[in-house]
Amino acid sequence: MLVRKEVNVMRRIEIFDTTLRDGEQSPGVALNADEKLQIAHQLAKLGVNVLEAGFPIASPGDFEGVRRIAQEVRSVSVAALARANAKDIECAWQALSGGASPRIHTFIATSPIHMLYKLQKSPEEVLEQAIEAVRLAKSKVSDIEFSAEDASRSEVDFLAKVFSGVIKAGATVLNIPDTVGYATPEEYTAFIRAVMERTIGIEKVKVSVHCHNDLGLAVANSLAAVGAGVHQLECTVNGIGERAGNAALEELVMALRTRRDQYSVETSIVTTEIARTSQMVSRLTGMIIQHNKAIVGKNAFAHESGIHQDGVLKERSTYEIMSPSVIGIDVESIVLGKHSGRHAVHQRLTDLGLDLAEDQFEDVFARFKQLADRKRDVTTADLFSLAQVQKEKADQITLEYLQVSSGTHLVPTATIGLMYNGERLEDAACGDGPVDAAFKAIDKVLGTRGTLSHYSLQALDGGEDAQGEVAVTVKFGENLVGGRGVSTDIIEASVRGYLQAVNRAFVRGWIKVREKNAR
Ligand code: KIV
Ligand code: ZN
């Protein structure tokens, strides 16, 4: 006998992740090619459909990052950004060529305000340039995304005309960004519907949105766009990005999943990888996640009031609309401590996506044992920081020793020894406090001049024996760069954070380091 089953097929929404492009444009963030590759592998594991790897024309470092990701991450589509001109498009194509599923993402502004003041071009010129750009990109690769920058402040008829033109030229995805975070949900839905209705050939392409968070509406606007029938959502992990950032991937995905009764769509995201990805992005970019951040903040699943705790103990769903395990929190069943052996530590590192070479693992394991002697439980956050210290060894300027004296009636003084080019460089400095003295001593040793624009200190996780984690943003000349350091000693954590910023600035050529014999 045949049994008829109700099959509820949900519409699939694609997730276009731009953490490595728009996210990397956050003030103070500067990832090197290795760090970008590490995040790209994790994004592939997370299950994003498209990964925007960078803006190749922007710098040789960006080009290299996109090239390596396109070569090595082959399970997802890899996109590269290009302005609507031949030089950018050639460069994007060179970076992507050899990739398994490349997409050129080209853009030009279409709003009256951008065309008049920024581009100083007439709408006809913009239309022509958009079509030319897409035509050129199409001669290189089949998958072309076209973005109308500042679309939400553009005129509907003009936007539809540009979109109709680029579809004819070969675009496969049309993006309607809310570039300046100005839209409101109801207005944005109506706008997208109107543009889609008036665009000739719209049924042949996918429609995408890309929302910024200037009014805190990026996620709400993206979800509203789902209601208008779009096929792709652009977002970043932890919502990082230009100014107030982009729509946060984890918030979008969990809203669509938790309220699928409302949205009736699904994504391919492996939600149990969300927490891990969020932590990796935070650690490598140096951008700390606010404690009350939805989904991935430290307090997102913490119940403080007695009434709430009582309710949760009786029945979790009283105050919990999602289970933390769904996003990959609390998956560790084995507690690591001083009795843990090589196998357990190795397994946990592998589970965290931290694949280390044998000698690197031995070093991390030795540090793990030292830490476990000082701390009862070694947490996931601790393991990340141990692996990070291992990576510091690849830095060109490393900490050899640090000595600080400070107290109520003492002038804070720091003496620093750094290794650079196989030589030890040393000097001492006084400052307003021990951290200031240590940073000044580093600058004195290296002949650099950094200005601290942000400093924060937090415990890596709960408990009196938690390690201190310091995040800094330092300005060298015109360039802002972030760094992060972890240690049980907060002055040492500060120095490690500052040195990470120095190393990042150094590899980008933003600072020069004084040689020993030039001192
Ligand atoms: O915000 C924006 O408009 C962009 C485009 C390049 C898509 O980032
Ligand atoms: Zn953007």
Side-chain angles (χ1 to χ4, degrees), residues 117-168:
Y117 295 109
K118 189 183 80 174
L119 299 176
Q120 297 180 338
K121 284 187 190 294
S122 68
E124 290 68 35
E125 287 172 312
V126 166
L127 172 65
E128 200 178 311
Q129 194 174 330
I131 292 173
E132 271 312 300
V134 171
R135 217 173 260 148
L136 174 64
K138 194 71 179 184
S139 68
K140 317 270 178 209
V141 55
S142 62
D143 193 9
I144 312 294
E145 174 162 338
F146 172 78
S147 284
E149 194 189 7
D150 205 18
S152 57
R153 293 193 298 169
S154 304
E155 283 164 5
V156 175
D157 283 329
F158 178 62
L159 190 55
K161 194 168 166 188
V162 174
F163 278 172
S164 306
V166 298
I167 291 175
K168 237 171 137 188

Short mmCIF file of all heavy atoms in Angstrom, two decimals, residues 117-168:
data_model
loop_
_atom_site.label_atom_id
_atom_site.label_comp_id
_atom_site.label_asym_id
_atom_site.label_seq_id
_atom_site.Cartn_x
_atom_site.Cartn_y
_atom_site.Cartn_z
N TYR A 117 28.35 63.25 -6.56
CA TYR A 117 29.51 63.73 -5.78
C TYR A 117 30.72 62.81 -5.83
O TYR A 117 31.84 63.26 -5.90
CB TYR A 117 29.11 63.95 -4.31
CG TYR A 117 28.09 65.05 -4.17
CD1 TYR A 117 26.78 64.77 -3.84
CD2 TYR A 117 28.45 66.39 -4.40
CE1 TYR A 117 25.83 65.79 -3.72
CE2 TYR A 117 27.51 67.40 -4.29
CZ TYR A 117 26.20 67.10 -3.95
OH TYR A 117 25.28 68.10 -3.84
N LYS A 118 30.48 61.50 -5.77
CA LYS A 118 31.63 60.60 -5.69
C LYS A 118 32.16 60.27 -7.08
O LYS A 118 33.34 60.46 -7.36
CB LYS A 118 31.23 59.32 -4.93
CG LYS A 118 32.42 58.43 -4.62
CD LYS A 118 32.01 57.14 -3.94
CE LYS A 118 31.51 56.13 -4.94
NZ LYS A 118 31.23 54.82 -4.35
N LEU A 119 31.27 59.80 -7.94
CA LEU A 119 31.73 59.37 -9.27
C LEU A 119 31.84 60.54 -10.24
O LEU A 119 32.60 60.48 -11.21
CB LEU A 119 30.76 58.32 -9.85
CG LEU A 119 30.60 57.02 -9.04
CD1 LEU A 119 29.54 56.14 -9.69
CD2 LEU A 119 31.92 56.26 -8.94
N GLN A 120 31.04 61.56 -10.01
CA GLN A 120 30.93 62.70 -10.93
C GLN A 120 30.66 62.21 -12.35
O GLN A 120 31.35 62.55 -13.31
CB GLN A 120 32.19 63.57 -10.85
CG GLN A 120 32.31 64.14 -9.44
CD GLN A 120 33.52 65.02 -9.22
OE1 GLN A 120 34.49 64.92 -9.95
NE2 GLN A 120 33.45 65.86 -8.23
N LYS A 121 29.66 61.35 -12.42
CA LYS A 121 29.26 60.78 -13.72
C LYS A 121 27.74 60.91 -13.86
O LYS A 121 27.01 60.91 -12.86
CB LYS A 121 29.61 59.29 -13.78
CG LYS A 121 31.11 59.02 -13.98
CD LYS A 121 31.35 57.54 -14.20
CE LYS A 121 32.81 57.20 -14.16
NZ LYS A 121 33.61 57.72 -15.22
N SER A 122 27.30 60.96 -15.13
CA SER A 122 25.86 61.01 -15.36
C SER A 122 25.30 59.59 -15.24
O SER A 122 26.05 58.60 -15.38
CB SER A 122 25.60 61.54 -16.77
OG SER A 122 26.05 60.58 -17.70
N PRO A 123 23.98 59.46 -15.01
CA PRO A 123 23.39 58.11 -14.94
C PRO A 123 23.69 57.30 -16.20
O PRO A 123 23.95 56.10 -16.11
CB PRO A 123 21.89 58.41 -14.80
CG PRO A 123 21.83 59.75 -14.15
CD PRO A 123 23.01 60.52 -14.67
N GLU A 124 23.70 57.95 -17.37
CA GLU A 124 23.97 57.22 -18.63
C GLU A 124 25.39 56.65 -18.61
O GLU A 124 25.62 55.51 -19.04
CB GLU A 124 23.82 58.15 -19.85
CG GLU A 124 22.39 58.58 -20.16
CD GLU A 124 21.81 59.52 -19.08
OE1 GLU A 124 22.57 60.34 -18.52
OE2 GLU A 124 20.61 59.39 -18.77
N GLU A 125 26.33 57.45 -18.12
CA GLU A 125 27.72 56.96 -18.05
C GLU A 125 27.85 55.78 -17.09
O GLU A 125 28.57 54.81 -17.35
CB GLU A 125 28.65 58.10 -17.60
CG GLU A 125 28.88 59.15 -18.67
CD GLU A 125 29.65 60.36 -18.11
OE1 GLU A 125 29.28 60.88 -17.04
OE2 GLU A 125 30.62 60.78 -18.77
N VAL A 126 27.12 55.88 -15.97
CA VAL A 126 27.17 54.78 -14.98
C VAL A 126 26.58 53.51 -15.59
O VAL A 126 27.14 52.41 -15.47
CB VAL A 126 26.42 55.19 -13.69
CG1 VAL A 126 26.15 53.98 -12.79
CG2 VAL A 126 27.22 56.24 -12.94
N LEU A 127 25.45 53.67 -16.30
CA LEU A 127 24.81 52.51 -16.94
C LEU A 127 25.78 51.84 -17.91
O LEU A 127 25.98 50.61 -17.88
CB LEU A 127 23.54 52.98 -17.67
CG LEU A 127 22.85 51.94 -18.57
CD1 LEU A 127 22.31 50.78 -17.74
CD2 LEU A 127 21.68 52.59 -19.35
N GLU A 128 26.42 52.65 -18.72
CA GLU A 128 27.34 52.12 -19.73
C GLU A 128 28.53 51.41 -19.07
O GLU A 128 28.93 50.31 -19.46
CB GLU A 128 27.85 53.30 -20.57
CG GLU A 128 28.41 52.88 -21.92
CD GLU A 128 28.83 54.13 -22.69
OE1 GLU A 128 28.02 55.08 -22.77
OE2 GLU A 128 29.97 54.16 -23.15
N GLN A 129 29.06 52.05 -18.00
CA GLN A 129 30.22 51.46 -17.32
C GLN A 129 29.86 50.12 -16.66
O GLN A 129 30.65 49.17 -16.68
CB GLN A 129 30.75 52.46 -16.27
CG GLN A 129 32.12 52.09 -15.76
CD GLN A 129 32.70 53.16 -14.83
OE1 GLN A 129 32.40 54.35 -14.96
NE2 GLN A 129 33.53 52.73 -13.90
N ALA A 130 28.66 50.05 -16.09
CA ALA A 130 28.22 48.80 -15.44
C ALA A 130 28.13 47.68 -16.48
O ALA A 130 28.63 46.57 -16.26
CB ALA A 130 26.86 49.02 -14.78
N ILE A 131 27.54 47.99 -17.62
CA ILE A 131 27.36 46.96 -18.67
C ILE A 131 28.72 46.52 -19.20
O ILE A 131 28.98 45.32 -19.35
CB ILE A 131 26.44 47.50 -19.79
CG1 ILE A 131 25.01 47.68 -19.23
CG2 ILE A 131 26.43 46.57 -21.00
CD1 ILE A 131 24.03 48.35 -20.16
N GLU A 132 29.59 47.48 -19.46
CA GLU A 132 30.95 47.16 -19.97
C GLU A 132 31.69 46.25 -18.99
O GLU A 132 32.35 45.28 -19.38
CB GLU A 132 31.76 48.46 -20.14
CG GLU A 132 31.61 49.10 -21.50
CD GLU A 132 31.79 48.09 -22.62
OE1 GLU A 132 32.88 47.49 -22.69
OE2 GLU A 132 30.83 47.87 -23.40
N ALA A 133 31.57 46.60 -17.70
CA ALA A 133 32.29 45.83 -16.67
C ALA A 133 31.79 44.39 -16.64
O ALA A 133 32.58 43.44 -16.58
CB ALA A 133 32.10 46.49 -15.31
N VAL A 134 30.48 44.23 -16.66
CA VAL A 134 29.93 42.87 -16.59
C VAL A 134 30.32 42.08 -17.85
O VAL A 134 30.67 40.90 -17.77
CB VAL A 134 28.40 42.91 -16.38
CG1 VAL A 134 27.78 41.53 -16.53
CG2 VAL A 134 28.09 43.48 -14.99
N ARG A 135 30.29 42.77 -18.99
CA ARG A 135 30.67 42.10 -20.25
C ARG A 135 32.12 41.59 -20.17
O ARG A 135 32.42 40.46 -20.51
CB ARG A 135 30.54 43.10 -21.40
CG ARG A 135 30.03 42.45 -22.65
CD ARG A 135 29.73 43.46 -23.72
NE ARG A 135 28.33 43.79 -23.85
CZ ARG A 135 27.85 44.98 -24.21
NH1 ARG A 135 28.67 45.99 -24.44
NH2 ARG A 135 26.56 45.17 -24.32
N LEU A 136 33.00 42.46 -19.66
CA LEU A 136 34.41 42.06 -19.55
C LEU A 136 34.55 40.89 -18.57
O LEU A 136 35.23 39.90 -18.85
CB LEU A 136 35.27 43.25 -19.08
CG LEU A 136 36.73 42.92 -18.79
CD1 LEU A 136 37.46 42.48 -20.07
CD2 LEU A 136 37.46 44.13 -18.20
N ALA A 137 33.90 41.01 -17.41
CA ALA A 137 34.00 39.95 -16.40
C ALA A 137 33.48 38.63 -16.97
O ALA A 137 34.05 37.56 -16.73
CB ALA A 137 33.21 40.35 -15.15
N LYS A 138 32.42 38.72 -17.77
CA LYS A 138 31.80 37.51 -18.34
C LYS A 138 32.74 36.82 -19.33
O LYS A 138 32.64 35.61 -19.55
CB LYS A 138 30.50 37.90 -19.04
CG LYS A 138 29.60 36.75 -19.38
CD LYS A 138 28.97 36.14 -18.13
CE LYS A 138 28.04 34.99 -18.45
NZ LYS A 138 27.37 34.47 -17.24
N SER A 139 33.66 37.60 -19.92
CA SER A 139 34.60 36.98 -20.86
C SER A 139 35.66 36.16 -20.09
O SER A 139 36.42 35.41 -20.66
CB SER A 139 35.28 38.04 -21.72
OG SER A 139 36.14 38.83 -20.90
N LYS A 140 35.71 36.33 -18.77
CA LYS A 140 36.70 35.61 -17.95
C LYS A 140 36.08 34.41 -17.24
O LYS A 140 36.68 33.38 -17.07
CB LYS A 140 37.27 36.53 -16.84
CG LYS A 140 37.61 37.92 -17.28
CD LYS A 140 39.02 37.99 -17.75
CE LYS A 140 39.40 39.36 -18.26
NZ LYS A 140 40.42 39.32 -19.27
N VAL A 141 34.85 34.61 -16.73
CA VAL A 141 34.26 33.60 -15.84
C VAL A 141 32.74 33.66 -15.99
O VAL A 141 32.19 34.70 -16.36
CB VAL A 141 34.75 33.87 -14.38
CG1 VAL A 141 34.46 35.26 -13.92
CG2 VAL A 141 34.19 32.91 -13.39
N SER A 142 32.05 32.54 -15.72
CA SER A 142 30.61 32.55 -15.99
C SER A 142 29.80 33.16 -14.84
O SER A 142 28.72 33.70 -15.07
CB SER A 142 30.13 31.13 -16.28
OG SER A 142 30.37 30.35 -15.13
N ASP A 143 30.30 33.06 -13.62
CA ASP A 143 29.50 33.52 -12.48
C ASP A 143 29.86 34.98 -12.14
O ASP A 143 30.95 35.27 -11.63
CB ASP A 143 29.79 32.60 -11.28
CG ASP A 143 28.79 32.80 -10.15
OD1 ASP A 143 27.79 33.51 -10.36
OD2 ASP A 143 29.01 32.24 -9.05
N ILE A 144 28.94 35.89 -12.43
CA ILE A 144 29.21 37.32 -12.20
C ILE A 144 28.15 37.91 -11.28
O ILE A 144 26.96 37.87 -11.58
CB ILE A 144 29.12 38.13 -13.53
CG1 ILE A 144 29.91 37.48 -14.65
CG2 ILE A 144 29.53 39.60 -13.29
CD1 ILE A 144 31.39 37.46 -14.41
N GLU A 145 28.64 38.50 -10.18
CA GLU A 145 27.70 39.25 -9.34
C GLU A 145 27.89 40.74 -9.62
O GLU A 145 29.02 41.24 -9.67
CB GLU A 145 27.98 38.95 -7.85
CG GLU A 145 27.13 39.83 -6.93
CD GLU A 145 27.03 39.30 -5.51
OE1 GLU A 145 27.24 38.09 -5.30
OE2 GLU A 145 26.71 40.12 -4.62
N PHE A 146 26.76 41.42 -9.79
CA PHE A 146 26.82 42.87 -9.97
C PHE A 146 26.13 43.53 -8.78
O PHE A 146 24.98 43.21 -8.46
CB PHE A 146 26.14 43.31 -11.27
CG PHE A 146 26.04 44.81 -11.36
CD1 PHE A 146 27.14 45.57 -11.72
CD2 PHE A 146 24.86 45.47 -11.01
CE1 PHE A 146 27.08 46.97 -11.73
CE2 PHE A 146 24.78 46.86 -11.03
CZ PHE A 146 25.90 47.60 -11.39
N SER A 147 26.84 44.46 -8.13
CA SER A 147 26.25 45.21 -7.01
C SER A 147 26.05 46.66 -7.40
O SER A 147 26.98 47.29 -7.91
CB SER A 147 27.18 45.18 -5.79
OG SER A 147 27.10 43.95 -5.15
N ALA A 148 24.86 47.16 -7.10
CA ALA A 148 24.59 48.59 -7.29
C ALA A 148 24.83 49.26 -5.95
O ALA A 148 23.98 49.21 -5.06
CB ALA A 148 23.14 48.77 -7.73
N GLU A 149 26.02 49.84 -5.79
CA GLU A 149 26.35 50.42 -4.48
C GLU A 149 25.34 51.53 -4.13
O GLU A 149 24.91 52.28 -4.99
CB GLU A 149 27.78 50.99 -4.53
CG GLU A 149 28.31 51.29 -3.14
CD GLU A 149 29.62 52.06 -3.17
OE1 GLU A 149 30.06 52.48 -4.25
OE2 GLU A 149 30.19 52.25 -2.08
N ASP A 150 24.98 51.59 -2.86
CA ASP A 150 23.99 52.55 -2.36
C ASP A 150 22.63 52.36 -3.06
O ASP A 150 21.89 53.33 -3.26
CB ASP A 150 24.50 53.99 -2.53
CG ASP A 150 23.86 54.94 -1.51
OD1 ASP A 150 23.32 54.47 -0.50
OD2 ASP A 150 23.89 56.17 -1.75
N ALA A 151 22.33 51.10 -3.38
CA ALA A 151 21.09 50.81 -4.11
C ALA A 151 19.86 51.32 -3.38
O ALA A 151 18.93 51.85 -4.00
CB ALA A 151 20.97 49.29 -4.32
N SER A 152 19.85 51.19 -2.04
CA SER A 152 18.63 51.53 -1.31
C SER A 152 18.32 53.03 -1.38
O SER A 152 17.21 53.44 -1.06
CB SER A 152 18.75 51.08 0.15
OG SER A 152 19.89 51.67 0.73
N ARG A 153 19.29 53.86 -1.79
CA ARG A 153 19.00 55.30 -1.97
C ARG A 153 18.97 55.65 -3.47
O ARG A 153 19.15 56.81 -3.84
CB ARG A 153 20.03 56.15 -1.22
CG ARG A 153 19.91 55.99 0.29
CD ARG A 153 20.71 57.04 1.04
NE ARG A 153 22.13 56.96 0.76
CZ ARG A 153 23.01 57.89 1.12
NH1 ARG A 153 22.60 58.98 1.75
NH2 ARG A 153 24.30 57.75 0.84
N SER A 154 18.81 54.63 -4.31
CA SER A 154 18.76 54.87 -5.76
C SER A 154 17.32 54.98 -6.21
O SER A 154 16.39 54.57 -5.50
CB SER A 154 19.45 53.72 -6.51
OG SER A 154 20.76 53.56 -6.04
N GLU A 155 17.13 55.52 -7.44
CA GLU A 155 15.77 55.60 -7.96
C GLU A 155 15.40 54.24 -8.57
O GLU A 155 16.19 53.63 -9.30
CB GLU A 155 15.69 56.69 -9.03
CG GLU A 155 15.64 58.06 -8.37
CD GLU A 155 15.96 59.20 -9.31
OE1 GLU A 155 16.13 58.95 -10.53
OE2 GLU A 155 16.05 60.33 -8.82
N VAL A 156 14.19 53.79 -8.24
CA VAL A 156 13.77 52.43 -8.65
C VAL A 156 13.92 52.23 -10.16
O VAL A 156 14.49 51.22 -10.61
CB VAL A 156 12.30 52.17 -8.23
CG1 VAL A 156 11.82 50.83 -8.76
CG2 VAL A 156 12.15 52.22 -6.74
N ASP A 157 13.43 53.18 -10.96
CA ASP A 157 13.45 52.97 -12.41
C ASP A 157 14.86 52.92 -12.95
O ASP A 157 15.17 52.10 -13.82
CB ASP A 157 12.64 54.08 -13.12
CG ASP A 157 11.16 53.81 -12.97
OD1 ASP A 157 10.78 52.62 -12.90
OD2 ASP A 157 10.38 54.78 -12.88
N PHE A 158 15.72 53.78 -12.42
CA PHE A 158 17.11 53.76 -12.90
C PHE A 158 17.79 52.44 -12.51
O PHE A 158 18.49 51.80 -13.32
CB PHE A 158 17.90 54.95 -12.36
CG PHE A 158 19.33 54.94 -12.79
CD1 PHE A 158 19.68 55.01 -14.15
CD2 PHE A 158 20.37 54.81 -11.87
CE1 PHE A 158 21.01 54.97 -14.57
CE2 PHE A 158 21.70 54.77 -12.28
CZ PHE A 158 22.01 54.85 -13.63
N LEU A 159 17.55 52.01 -11.29
CA LEU A 159 18.17 50.76 -10.82
C LEU A 159 17.70 49.59 -11.68
O LEU A 159 18.50 48.73 -12.11
CB LEU A 159 17.81 50.54 -9.34
CG LEU A 159 18.55 49.42 -8.63
CD1 LEU A 159 20.06 49.59 -8.73
CD2 LEU A 159 18.15 49.37 -7.16
N ALA A 160 16.40 49.56 -11.96
CA ALA A 160 15.86 48.47 -12.79
C ALA A 160 16.47 48.51 -14.19
O ALA A 160 16.74 47.45 -14.80
CB ALA A 160 14.34 48.58 -12.86
N LYS A 161 16.74 49.71 -14.69
CA LYS A 161 17.34 49.85 -16.02
C LYS A 161 18.78 49.30 -16.01
O LYS A 161 19.19 48.55 -16.90
CB LYS A 161 17.35 51.34 -16.39
CG LYS A 161 17.63 51.64 -17.83
CD LYS A 161 17.30 53.10 -18.07
CE LYS A 161 17.84 53.60 -19.39
NZ LYS A 161 17.70 55.03 -19.53
N VAL A 162 19.53 49.65 -14.96
CA VAL A 162 20.91 49.15 -14.84
C VAL A 162 20.88 47.63 -14.71
O VAL A 162 21.63 46.90 -15.39
CB VAL A 162 21.63 49.79 -13.62
CG1 VAL A 162 23.00 49.16 -13.41
CG2 VAL A 162 21.76 51.29 -13.81
N PHE A 163 20.00 47.13 -13.86
CA PHE A 163 19.92 45.68 -13.65
C PHE A 163 19.54 44.96 -14.96
O PHE A 163 20.13 43.93 -15.30
CB PHE A 163 18.90 45.35 -12.55
CG PHE A 163 19.45 45.49 -11.15
CD1 PHE A 163 18.61 45.39 -10.04
CD2 PHE A 163 20.81 45.72 -10.92
CE1 PHE A 163 19.11 45.51 -8.74
CE2 PHE A 163 21.32 45.84 -9.63
CZ PHE A 163 20.46 45.73 -8.53
N SER A 164 18.57 45.51 -15.69
CA SER A 164 18.16 44.86 -16.96
C SER A 164 19.35 44.81 -17.91
O SER A 164 19.59 43.80 -18.59
CB SER A 164 17.01 45.64 -17.61
OG SER A 164 15.95 45.80 -16.70
N GLY A 165 20.14 45.91 -17.93
CA GLY A 165 21.30 45.98 -18.81
C GLY A 165 22.37 44.97 -18.43
O GLY A 165 22.94 44.29 -19.29
N VAL A 166 22.66 44.84 -17.14
CA VAL A 166 23.74 43.91 -16.74
C VAL A 166 23.30 42.45 -16.85
O VAL A 166 24.14 41.58 -17.07
CB VAL A 166 24.33 44.23 -15.34
CG1 VAL A 166 24.96 45.61 -15.30
CG2 VAL A 166 23.30 44.07 -14.22
N ILE A 167 22.01 42.20 -16.75
CA ILE A 167 21.54 40.81 -16.96
C ILE A 167 21.83 40.42 -18.41
O ILE A 167 22.36 39.35 -18.71
CB ILE A 167 20.03 40.65 -16.66
CG1 ILE A 167 19.77 40.82 -15.17
CG2 ILE A 167 19.51 39.30 -17.15
CD1 ILE A 167 18.29 40.81 -14.77
N LYS A 168 21.52 41.35 -19.32
CA LYS A 168 21.76 41.09 -20.75
C LYS A 168 23.26 40.88 -21.01
O LYS A 168 23.66 40.07 -21.86
CB LYS A 168 21.28 42.29 -21.57
CG LYS A 168 20.25 41.89 -22.61
CD LYS A 168 19.65 43.10 -23.22
CE LYS A 168 19.52 42.91 -24.72
NZ LYS A 168 19.11 44.16 -25.35
#
